[in-house]
Amino acid sequence: QVQLVESGGGLVQAGGSLRLSCAASGRTFSTYAVGWFRQTPGKQREFVAAISGSTGRTSYADSVKGRFTISRDNTKNTVYLQMNSLKPEDTSVYYCAAGLYSLGSRTGQYNYWGQGTQVTVSS
């Protein structure tokens, strides 16, 4: 059982930065891969980035590659998403998810989900 809580969302102007955090419970946190997804009204939840458990390998959607960085600190049971050069199209609710499938890009590959945090990028 893993519980996830996102934080760090907010309102930012285009070109600005935000750092999202995903705090996880459980002593076996390092075993789980963690992904970030986002969902905008009228659209399906889409993959943003993922990081594996023990090795820390990462994967990114093409739309955020070079701008976003995913990282994890297993001593703090936390995964981060550093978002730079934000664009209005990045506006969405961002969710973190945990699962045992490494670097999965589909929602069905994750078993545990947070409640989401709103990111709004103004133009």
Side-chain angles (χ1 to χ4, degrees):
Q1 181 68 41
V2 176
Q3 292 182 312
L4 307 171
V5 179
E6 302 96 334
S7 63
L11 175 65
V12 65
Q13 292 192 135
S17 299
L18 283 174
R19 190 191 197 194
L20 305 184
S21 297
C22 175
S25 67
R27 56 181 288 273
T28 60
F29 171 69
S30 63
T31 301
Y32 289 85
V34 174
W36 284 97
F37 292 77
R38 63 189 183 187
Q39 187 167 25
T40 301
K43 299 179 64 178
Q44 293 188 322
R45 193 166 296 186
E46 67 173 338
F47 171 75
V48 176
I51 187 166
S52 65
S54 58
T55 65
R57 284 185 164 270
T58 60
S59 179
Y60 299 91
D62 288 341
S63 60
V64 306
K65 197 171 300 181
R67 299 188 298 121
F68 292 9
T69 302
I70 188 171
S71 62
R72 69 190 298 160
D73 185 345
N74 289 334
T75 67
K76 298 180 179 179
N77 277 15
T78 302
V79 170
Y80 305 97
L81 184 67
Q82 179 66 48
M83 305 185 295
N84 298 325
S85 302
L86 283 163
K87 306 174 181 179
E89 49 262 47
D90 295 319
T91 295
S92 190
V93 177
Y94 284 72
Y95 301 86
C96 66
L100 296 177
Y101 186 87
S102 182
L103 302 181
S105 61
R106 297 188 292 108
T107 58
Q109 295 171 314
Y110 295 85
N111 300 311
Y112 307 99
W113 293 82
Q115 293 300 119
T117 185
Q118 176 71 48
V119 171
T120 303
V121 184
S122 64
S123 59

